[in-house]
């Protein structure tokens, strides 16, 4: 099956600093990538949808200036959490889509962000 | 209309038993229904998926049953094993709403 690699798998950063998370589709070109946030024992909440070469579409309530998304190529999308605060601590997961409109989505292994 | 309701919230099954997880949706625009398995600290892994033109799909021990008129679909895990213990999410997808995930079911299979 398709492989999506997410890096790093965990990161600890100081409050006020920025953290970049990478999401790569290893064996296919992803026309669409999605970024999710997951709180403990809860479901995945879509943060934004990014299409290669265009601006990301953010879900309601997600601060686009805090969560910067760049989808510069068909195999790489990045999420940068800017000026991180403890409340940004969470599990962030990306997925890359294949097929029309990114129907078949494959997920990365997730990134555990802890802001201290 | 964008919600996907999933039940039960948790499930305990004996080894060898059948695990059944149900989901229901409202919006008829959804046209792709995958199930994901997630282990603690890991990203979700696609298990099996179905489109509305099919009423059932089977892959190994995993079967999706789909009832288009009732707007419901379910995952059946046959011969459940302790290694199946994980959280399972159903989802619904459409080009407009993208993926909407259910709330998850924590499955524990007793040895």
């Amino acid at each position: 099956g398709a492989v999506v690699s997410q890096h790093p798998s965990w990161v600890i950063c100081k409050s006020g600093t920025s953290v970049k998370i990478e999401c790569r589709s290893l064996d296919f070109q992803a026309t669409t990538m999605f970024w999710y946030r997951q709180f403990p024992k809860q479901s995945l909440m879509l943060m934004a949808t990014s299409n290669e070469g265009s601006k990301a579409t953010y879900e309601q309530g997600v601060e686009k200036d805090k969560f910067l998304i760049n989808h510069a190529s068909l195999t790489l999308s990045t999420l940068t959490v800017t000026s991180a605060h403890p409340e940004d601590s969470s599990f962030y997961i990306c997925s890359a889509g294949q097929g029309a409109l990114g129907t078949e989505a494959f997920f990365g292994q997730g990134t555990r962000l802890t802001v201290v | 209309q964008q919600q996907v309701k999933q039940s039960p919230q948790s499930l305990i099954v004996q080894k060898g038993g059948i695990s059944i997880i149900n989901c229901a949706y409202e919006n008829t625009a959804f046209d792709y229904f995958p199930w994901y398995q997630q282990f603690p600290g890991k990203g979700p892994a696609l298990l099996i998926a179905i489109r509305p033109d099919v009423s059932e799909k089977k892959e190994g021990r995993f079967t999706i049953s789909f009832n288009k008129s009732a707007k419901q679909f379910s995952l059946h895990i046959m011969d459940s094993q302790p290694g199946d213990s994980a959280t399972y999410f159903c989802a619904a997808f459409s080009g407009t709403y993208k993926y909407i995930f259910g709330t998850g079911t924590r499955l524990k299979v007793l040895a």
Side-chain angles (χ1 to χ4, degrees):
Chain A
V3 178
V4 175
S5 177
Q6 192 172 334
H7 178 81
S9 56
W10 61 271
V11 58
I12 302 173
C13 72
K14 291 185 177 180
S15 186
T17 61
S18 295
V19 174
K20 180 184 285 188
I21 303 170
E22 292 187 348
C23 180
R24 294 180 184 273
S25 56
L26 297 185
D27 51 2
F28 68 101
Q29 293 185 325
T31 52
T32 308
M33 288 186 170
F34 303 90
W35 286 96
Y36 296 85
R37 184 172 180 176
Q38 186 178 33
F39 291 102
K41 299 182 181 180
Q42 293 192 24
S43 189
L44 287 78
M45 298 301 297
L46 180 65
M47 297 175 66
T49 303
S50 70
N51 296 293
E52 185 266 339
S54 62
K55 290 184 178 180
T57 302
Y58 290 82
E59 296 300 302
Q60 192 173 12
V62 177
E63 299 176 60
K64 61 181 181 181
D65 294 330
K66 168 169 266 302
F67 300 100
L68 300 178
I69 292 172
N70 185 286
H71 193 159
S73 76
L74 285 170
T75 60
L76 174 64
S77 177
T78 60
L79 167 68
T80 301
V81 183
T82 63
S83 186
H85 290 284
E87 57 266 30
D88 299 324
S89 298
S90 190
F91 193 54
Y92 293 88
I93 309 172
C94 72
S95 72
Q98 259 190 317
L101 301 174
T103 306
E104 297 184 58
F106 300 90
F107 287 81
Q109 64 267 46
T111 297
R112 170 72 60 192
L113 170 64
T114 302
V115 185
V116 297
Chain B
Q1 275 200 330
Q2 293 187 42
Q3 284 187 330
V4 176
K5 296 180 179 179
Q6 183 172 345
S7 63
Q9 187 174 11
S10 62
L11 181 61
I12 299 175
V13 174
Q14 293 287 338
K15 179 182 177 181
I18 302 174
S19 303
I20 302 174
I21 306 171
N22 302 297
C23 282
Y25 63 98
E26 293 287 329
N27 198 315
T28 56
F30 292 132
D31 57 8
Y32 178 71
F33 302 90
W35 284 90
Y36 288 90
Q37 179 188 58
Q38 186 179 30
F39 293 104
K42 303 294 183 182
L46 178 65
L47 262 182
I48 187 172
I50 198 167
R51 294 190 184 274
D53 54 345
V54 177
S55 61
E56 185 176 281
K57 183 175 181 180
K58 183 177 180 179
E59 290 184 0
R61 296 186 294 111
F62 302 95
T63 300
I64 298 180
S65 296
F66 188 85
N67 187 328
K68 187 175 181 178
S69 60
K71 290 186 280 188
Q72 295 176 348
F73 58 109
S74 60
L75 174 69
H76 294 234
I77 305 175
M78 312 300 286
D79 187 25
S80 299
Q81 299 297 313
D84 297 330
S85 298
T87 299
Y88 292 81
F89 292 97
C90 64
F93 175 89
S94 76
T96 301
Y97 299 113
K98 299 153 291 204
Y99 277 90
I100 305 296
F101 283 86
T103 49
T105 296
R106 298 178 72 187
L107 171 65
K108 184 174 179 64
V109 181
L110 302 177

